[in-house]
Amino acid sequence: PAEHYLNGGIRTGYNGRTNIEGLYSCGETAATGAHGANRLASNSLMEGLVYGWKIYQDIEKRLKSKTVKEERQVLSTVDSTVMGSAGTLDDKKAPGGTKLDILTLISSLRNMMSREVGILRDSSGLEEARDFVQFHIGNENLYNRTDKDILEFANMLTVANLIIKSASIREESRGTHMRFDFPGKDDKNWKKHIILKKDKVDFKKVD
């Protein structure tokens, strides 16, 4: 449930496009701006239907404008990227050659996020969750792998890191983001979206 409390997602336009060519997003994964801090589950379902259709229309339009040669070049690039990302290390190996108990780590991350980064948050809990995520996200053995569980854990760490960072930055309570240490809503300073891209933090004001 902690992922839902992010109330955000991948930033898109109204056609579902992201800033990565060929990557679209809709529904729970997207931040379209159509709903605010109290977004309900039924709204995300509606977004999935509406923006799913808009994405289909956009892809169909773009495909019609491309030649067969261009499409083959794109597919060739995708194939090369996928093949090049195959890991050279043995899956589920940690530093020193010991086995990664990946399912235990996944369970620990889920418990940590639900306990410290749920609807009710404060700086001490967010710091504890951040330390846990930062410790594991720096493990190079989680990347360039083919094992599903390890890849899932690495992706979970990425999303968790974004949630924790956003919740730590927003020093107020708004919608389903409740900070014990900042219990009031602060429209003067925080009536805006937080946009994270790698280590860069941007803001977009809400009218």
Side-chain angles (χ1 to χ4, degrees):
E3 183 177 352
H4 184 75
Y5 305 145
L6 173 64
N7 280 347
I10 302 168
R11 191 181 183 192
T12 72
Y14 284 108
N15 53 13
R17 293 187 194 179
T18 69
N19 65 333
I20 298 176
E21 179 67 22
L23 178 65
Y24 291 81
S25 177
C26 68
E28 283 287 344
T29 65
T32 63
H35 298 104
N38 274 322
R39 184 194 67 190
L40 303 176
S42 57
N43 288 345
S44 61
L45 176 60
M46 182 179 68
E47 279 199 34
L49 292 171
V50 172
Y51 286 95
W53 175 249
K54 292 175 73 69
I55 288 171
Y56 163 75
Q57 290 178 312
D58 191 68
I59 292 174
E60 184 181 43
K61 180 180 178 181
R62 297 180 74 181
L63 285 177
K64 287 180 178 178
S65 66
K66 289 184 178 292
T67 65
V68 174
K69 182 179 179 181
E70 288 175 323
E71 286 304 306
R72 286 177 177 171
Q73 288 176 338
V74 171
L75 291 174
S76 177
T77 301
V78 171
D79 287 341
S80 298
T81 302
V82 171
M83 294 301 294
S85 66
T88 57
L89 301 173
D90 292 335
D91 284 344
K92 297 188 178 179
K93 289 286 186 179
T98 58
K99 289 282 186 178
L100 276 172
D101 189 353
I102 200 67
L103 296 181
T104 298
L105 290 175
I106 288 175
S107 178
S108 297
L109 177 60
R110 285 172 173 163
N111 290 334
M112 173 68 71
M113 293 298 291
S114 293
R115 185 176 69 251
E116 304 296 351
V117 200
I119 293 179
L120 303 177
R121 305 157 169 172
D122 61 27
S123 59
S124 61
L126 291 170
E127 287 175 9
E128 182 180 349
R130 182 195 62 201
D131 291 343
F132 177 91
V133 169
Q134 289 299 317
F135 176 80
H136 291 290
I137 210 169
N139 184 352
E140 63 182 17
N141 290 279
L142 292 175
Y143 306 98
N144 291 331
R145 298 309 188 96
T146 57
D147 182 270
K148 174 182 174 294
D149 292 331
I150 293 180
L151 292 173
E152 181 175 317
F153 182 56
N155 289 336
M156 290 171 68
L157 287 171
T158 299
V159 175
N161 187 50
L162 293 171
I163 296 173
I164 295 165
K165 190 170 185 177
S166 297
S168 299
I169 291 171
R170 185 173 290 280
E171 295 182 338
E172 65 154 358
S173 290
R174 182 178 297 271
T176 54
H177 165 74
M178 298 292 294
R179 293 270 309 249
F180 287 126
D181 43 354
F182 296 96
K185 185 168 71 171
D186 182 0
D187 282 345
K188 181 179 179 180
N189 296 306
W190 289 107
K191 195 175 181 181
K192 54 190 175 184
H193 295 296
I194 298 172
I195 302 170
L196 302 178
K197 185 178 180 182
K198 292 186 177 180
D199 295 327
K200 185 179 180 181
V201 180
D202 288 323
F203 301 95
K204 181 182 179 183
K205 289 187 177 181
V206 178
D207 295 330

